[in-house]
């Protein structure tokens, strides 16, 4: 036993040290230390990009405020109440929720439509807060070979003002964080923590059991591909988790559960806008499927139906504009992008599409303005390359060269990377 203890200390000294788990208070072997400041910086940078990647924030401020109130109520009772938590609704149809380092949490439109009451919502958010307080994402990064580069990248990003390789690398880090799967032990721990936060926030913990029952039912039915590709892909669901949650509630929180009824609040009223636009987004999802099958005319018709059902949703207008653009039908595409931007100026794809159209019309200054707006929201290689084209069109050779080099450095083997290499030769 003494030998093992000395070995543990030696390993801590050999590497960067032992990180203290905020939940357990125990020291954990870490290949590299990540400070709270670095954790928050990573989460903040990735969060903005994740929201864009998943369709942007759902355009209902009252709904977002409601989700934030429930989340903040739970976060105050967590092991890390000092973090500045953020809770948003993302405009994505797949049932999902995610937590990024530092307290940045989101839940999708699709998952909210599958919940029945506020207690179930609290169970989802409490679980995600548990991932944050136990630093599960950081733990996985500490085990990976990417950690050193990630921390260095985030440090460099704080002083970066130009669009370059660092920003495009940040996008890949965001994608990696979103796709990362938690271990069985981490999921169980997040469940336990979520139940604890619910109980101390005056929520009936039976909501956590209800939630797991919903998930198990969805999984066992075999007819819920959206759940499989969404929530279940990163948050493994099993009957064992349901049984464990039942045991925890029964053995540790009987007094809480008997004292409090489920807090329904006015959940259905709060998600009224989601219910109202459900048919519109169903048409949008059908349009995506039709377009993937090469049925362009039917896809456009489905997108048009979605826009007719929810004409004030910029995301749907952008999707229709992109469908026209992919068919090189620029006139209607431009019209829908302009309408989308008037409704919601904070979605990258609207600016990207409009920037491309201005580029085709050789309106280089207008293209630059739109493409810069797109990259500020969500840096993509496509946007970086197109901005290079716009700068070259204005005779800004040094700027164009920098942008082409960024694309080539980020992905030299791709078609876009090869095109950037050709532009560099020409310059």
């Amino acid at each position: 036993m003494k030998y093992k203890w000395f070995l543990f200390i030696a390993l801590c000294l050999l590497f960067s040290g032992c990180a203290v788990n905020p939940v357990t208070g125990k020291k954990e072997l870490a290949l590299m230390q990540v400070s709270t400041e670095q954790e928050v910086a990573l989460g903040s940078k990735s969060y903005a990009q994740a929201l864009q990647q998943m369709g942007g924030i759902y355009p209902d401020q009252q709904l977002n405020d409601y989700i934030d109130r429930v989340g903040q109520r739970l976060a105050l009772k967590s092991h890390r109440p000092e973090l500045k938590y953020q809770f948003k609704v993302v405009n994505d149809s797949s049932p999902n929720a995610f937590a990024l380092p530092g307290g940045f949490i989101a839940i999708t439109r699709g998952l909210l439509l599958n919940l029945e009451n506020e207690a179930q919502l609290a169970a989802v958010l409490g679980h995600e807060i548990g991932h944050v307080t136990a630093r599960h994402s950081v733990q996985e990064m500490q085990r990976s070979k990417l950690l050193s580069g990630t921390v260095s990248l985030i440090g460099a990003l704080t002083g970066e003002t130009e669009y370059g390789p660092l920003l495009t690398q940040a996008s890949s880090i965001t994608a990696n964080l979103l796709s990362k799967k938690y271990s069985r032990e981490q999921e169980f721990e997040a469940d336990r923590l979520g139940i604890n936060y619910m109980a101390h926030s005056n929520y009936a913990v039976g909501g956590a059991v209800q939630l797991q029952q919903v998930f198990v039912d969805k999984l066992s039915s075999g007819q819920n591909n959206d759940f499989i590709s969404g929530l279940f892909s990163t948050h493994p669901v099993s009957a064992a988790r349901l049984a464990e949650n039942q045991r925890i509630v029964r053995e540790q929180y009987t007094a809480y559960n008997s004292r409090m009824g489920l807090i329904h609040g006015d959940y259905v009223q709060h998600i009224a806008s989601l219910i109202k636009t459900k048919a519109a987004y169903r048409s949008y999802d059908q349009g995506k499927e039709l377009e993937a099958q090469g049925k362009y005319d039917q896809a456009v018709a489905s997108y048009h139906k979605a826009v007719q059902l929810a004409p004030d949703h910029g995301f749907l207008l952008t999707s229709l504009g992109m469908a026209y653009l992919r068919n090189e039908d620029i006139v209607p595409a431009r019209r829908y992008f302009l309408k989308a931007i008037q409704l919601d100026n904070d979605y990258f794809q609207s600016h990207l599409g409009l920037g491309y159209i201005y580029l085709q019309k050789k309106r280089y200054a207008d293209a630059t303005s739109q493409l810069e707006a797109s990259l500020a929201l969500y840096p993509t290689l496509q946007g970086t390359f197109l901005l290079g084209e716009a700068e070259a069109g204005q005779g800004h050779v040094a700027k164009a060269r920098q942008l082409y080099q960024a694309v080539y450095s980020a992905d030299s083997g791709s078609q876009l990377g090869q095109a950037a290499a050709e532009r560099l030769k020409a310059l």
Side-chain angles (χ1 to χ4, degrees), residues 386-407:
L386 292 177
L387 183 57
E389 300 280 83
E391 295 289 1
Q394 296 174 86
H396 302 158
V397 177
K399 179 68 173 180
R401 183 181 290 114
Q402 177 191 4
L403 292 159
Y404 291 140
Q405 186 61 55
V407 174

Side-chain angles (χ1 to χ4, degrees), residues 197-401:
Y197 303 154
M198 287 179 68
H200 290 91
S201 301
N202 207 36
Y203 280 107
V205 292
V209 174
Q210 279 188 351
L211 181 70
Q212 289 302 317
Q213 185 66 64
V214 169
F215 291 164
V216 169
D217 291 345
K218 295 284 186 183
L219 186 64
S220 60
S221 69
Q223 298 178 351
N224 293 278
N225 291 330
D226 287 343
F227 270 88
I228 299 297
S229 62
L231 190 73
F232 296 168
S233 66
T234 53
H235 293 69
V237 173
S238 68
R241 277 183 66 191
L242 170 60
E244 178 63 9
N245 281 9
Q246 290 173 328
R247 184 194 67 77
I248 292 172
V249 169
R250 182 177 63 253
E251 295 181 3
Q252 300 179 30
Y253 295 98
T254 303
Y256 288 94
N257 212 32
S258 61
R259 189 171 71 239
M260 298 175 297
L262 275 175
I263 296 181
H264 288 265
D266 48 358
Y267 180 77
V268 175
Q269 293 180 26
H270 281 298
I271 67 166
S273 66
L274 297 181
I275 297 171
K276 183 179 178 181
T277 59
K278 188 175 181 179
Y281 280 98
R282 186 183 300 119
S283 292
Y284 158 75
D285 291 332
Q286 290 170 351
K288 279 204 310 182
E289 293 178 9
L290 289 166
E291 200 169 3
Q293 296 168 14
K295 300 176 181 178
Y296 172 76
D297 291 338
Q298 294 178 51
V300 169
S302 193
Y303 289 137
H304 267 292
K305 182 179 178 181
V307 168
Q308 289 169 357
L309 291 169
D312 57 344
H313 279 233
F315 176 84
L316 297 177
L317 288 161
T318 297
S319 300
L320 180 55
M322 290 301 294
Y324 275 116
L325 191 59
R326 282 189 283 270
N327 200 45
E328 300 181 359
D329 201 347
I330 289 179
V331 174
R334 177 178 177 273
R335 182 168 66 249
Y336 289 116
F337 288 140
L338 285 170
K339 286 183 179 179
I341 291 171
Q342 287 174 354
L343 287 168
D344 182 3
N345 193 44
D346 294 325
Y347 185 46
F348 86 100
Q349 203 167 63
S350 314
H351 295 286
L352 181 65
L354 188 57
Y356 175 81
I357 290 173
Y358 285 146
L359 193 59
Q360 297 305 300
K361 292 179 173 295
K362 297 185 179 181
R363 292 172 56 176
Y364 297 120
D366 290 332
T368 295
S369 176
Q370 293 298 325
L371 293 168
E372 286 182 340
S374 176
L375 288 170
L377 291 164
Y378 183 41
T380 61
L381 290 180
Q382 184 182 17
T384 305
F385 180 85
L386 292 177
L387 183 57
E389 300 280 83
E391 295 289 1
Q394 296 174 86
H396 302 158
V397 177
K399 179 68 173 180
R401 183 181 290 114

